[in-house]
Amino acid sequence: MRIAVVGPTHPYKGGVAAHTTELATRLAAAGQEAALIGDQAAARDAFGRAAILNPGDERIAYDLGRAHEELADSAKAVGEYCRYLSLSPAGREATDVRDRLRRIVPVAAQRRAADVQVAFRLGLALFNDGRYEAAIRAFDDVV
């Protein structure tokens, strides 16, 4: 199936947006059917096309992450799960996504991410306090 991205999707209404949203919905449904019969490659492809058409749909991000995870493509699964959380941090699947991320992401990387968050917050606090040189050093630790 060939797909041409022709315009906006939900939340826009009518015309091209309605067509594009409907096509994304159909592709997501095809992905779900493929996943149910165990064809994870076809599911990934369908969800990937749906995500191109409707990148703001958190359910598509979740389903695409699951397909990537089933195909042992951890890096892409992590990307999609993070996209899901950015779209819907308190969404229906948020707890499951966080659990999956804890299982997929190596412990060392989780620790490094926590250290980066601490350094970034410290940099912000120092910057807000007017201690610019110290803030620069803290931000340097982040990057």
Side-chain angles (χ1 to χ4, degrees), residues 20 27 33 46 62 69 79-80 96 105 114 126 129 134:
T20 306
L27 285 164
E33 289 176 18
Y62 175 76
E69 186 178 358
E80 290 304 319
D96 180 56
V105 177
L126 292 167
D129 196 36

Side-chain angles (χ1 to χ4, degrees), residues 32-68:
Q32 289 168 348
E33 289 176 18
L36 283 173
I37 63 171
D39 189 350
Q40 296 303 323
R44 176 207 52 216
D45 294 345
F47 291 134
R49 289 182 183 110
I52 290 168
L53 291 171
N54 194 354
D57 187 313
E58 71 273 4
R59 183 67 206 190
I60 294 171
Y62 175 76
D63 289 337
L64 183 53
R66 292 283 308 263
H68 283 306

Side-chain angles (χ1 to χ4, degrees), residues 112-135:
R112 177 66 183 137
D115 292 346
V116 166
Q117 289 176 347
V118 168
F120 183 77
R121 288 182 185 126
L122 175 62
L124 287 176
L126 292 167
F127 181 83
N128 289 336
D129 196 36
R131 298 170 57 196
Y132 302 117
E133 291 299 320

